[in-house]
Amino acid sequence: MPPARKRTRSYDPARIRTAVLAQFGHLRKAVEGLTPEQLALPTRLGDRTVRELAAHIAATYGALAGALGRPEPPKADITLLDWTFSTAERAGGEGTPAAADPSQDLPALYARTAGEVEAALASVSGERLVRTASGAMRLADHLVTRAVELVVHTGDLAEATGLDIPYERQALAACVRLLADALAVKAPGGSVELRIPPYAVVQCVEGPRHTRGTPPNVVETDALTWVRLATGREDWAAARDAARVSASGDRSDLSALLPVTS
């Protein structure tokens, strides 16, 4: 696990809380409209079907209410940036809980889960500690990880079904920024500037650091392409060939550093 930087980006707890609730709402609406044929479709996640993916999303999101229902841990033992490296499989997730039963009535499951999480969050401070699969962390930080989880799996579900599922702006921004910051931790330095407008700009990769003007090595891509690259959903070469990534300079090839979460 790469060491997290001492200074981490701050996220507005109220905005993230609102964004997480709203993003699950977008997913709930999408899942409620899925046909049996769509539920049986494959996804890009191994042998997991759309139905299994939908059950997984609800279970991992609903685990937040369960965590808040348990005693508060005595201290935090994992940071937000540490979480991104806690396991490659997570790439925005917490693993599939035993409760993720794909045979459930999914609309009913999503309705129940939405209500439980909203009620659990109603009067809890972002400083409250919660126990997660990766370790104990601040609720405010854990909500950022939930934003990542929901954004990543929104893309998985949209890709599998062809649906146009909305992304809550604050949820997408948090996901992009955390994964960009994780790259800067994984490959510290200042020779490459990664630009993901309008959400993030970070410097990374060892080498000469520029101090003014346009840096010699620049990588630029859009938010959703970055999320796919950072989590192993898209190949660097394929994204470049499709002009979804522009990379200039002899140090701008990030393929050896992707996915970020591995």
mmCIF file of all heavy atoms in Angstrom, residues 45 61 157:
data_model
loop_
_atom_site.group_PDB
_atom_site.id
_atom_site.type_symbol
_atom_site.label_atom_id
_atom_site.label_comp_id
_atom_site.label_asym_id
_atom_site.label_seq_id
_atom_site.Cartn_x
_atom_site.Cartn_y
_atom_site.Cartn_z
ATOM 1 N N LEU A 45 -17.595 -7.045 -15.675
ATOM 2 C CA LEU A 45 -17.019 -7.488 -14.403
ATOM 3 C C LEU A 45 -17.012 -9.007 -14.326
ATOM 4 O O LEU A 45 -17.793 -9.619 -13.594
ATOM 5 C CB LEU A 45 -17.807 -6.884 -13.232
ATOM 6 C CG LEU A 45 -17.907 -5.354 -13.236
ATOM 7 C CD1 LEU A 45 -18.783 -4.873 -12.108
ATOM 8 C CD2 LEU A 45 -16.524 -4.732 -13.155
ATOM 9 N N TYR A 61 -23.833 -0.336 -0.791
ATOM 10 C CA TYR A 61 -24.375 0.960 -0.349
ATOM 11 C C TYR A 61 -25.122 0.800 0.973
ATOM 12 O O TYR A 61 -24.955 1.592 1.903
ATOM 13 C CB TYR A 61 -25.299 1.508 -1.430
ATOM 14 C CG TYR A 61 -25.938 2.837 -1.100
ATOM 15 C CD1 TYR A 61 -25.188 4.010 -1.112
ATOM 16 C CD2 TYR A 61 -27.293 2.929 -0.809
ATOM 17 C CE1 TYR A 61 -25.777 5.234 -0.836
ATOM 18 C CE2 TYR A 61 -27.886 4.150 -0.530
ATOM 19 C CZ TYR A 61 -27.123 5.304 -0.550
ATOM 20 O OH TYR A 61 -27.706 6.513 -0.268
ATOM 21 N N LEU A 157 -23.004 -0.294 -15.033
ATOM 22 C CA LEU A 157 -24.400 -0.597 -15.364
ATOM 23 C C LEU A 157 -24.807 0.034 -16.687
ATOM 24 O O LEU A 157 -25.487 -0.602 -17.515
ATOM 25 C CB LEU A 157 -25.316 -0.100 -14.237
ATOM 26 C CG LEU A 157 -26.780 -0.528 -14.314
ATOM 27 C CD1 LEU A 157 -26.914 -2.044 -14.192
ATOM 28 C CD2 LEU A 157 -27.592 0.155 -13.212
#
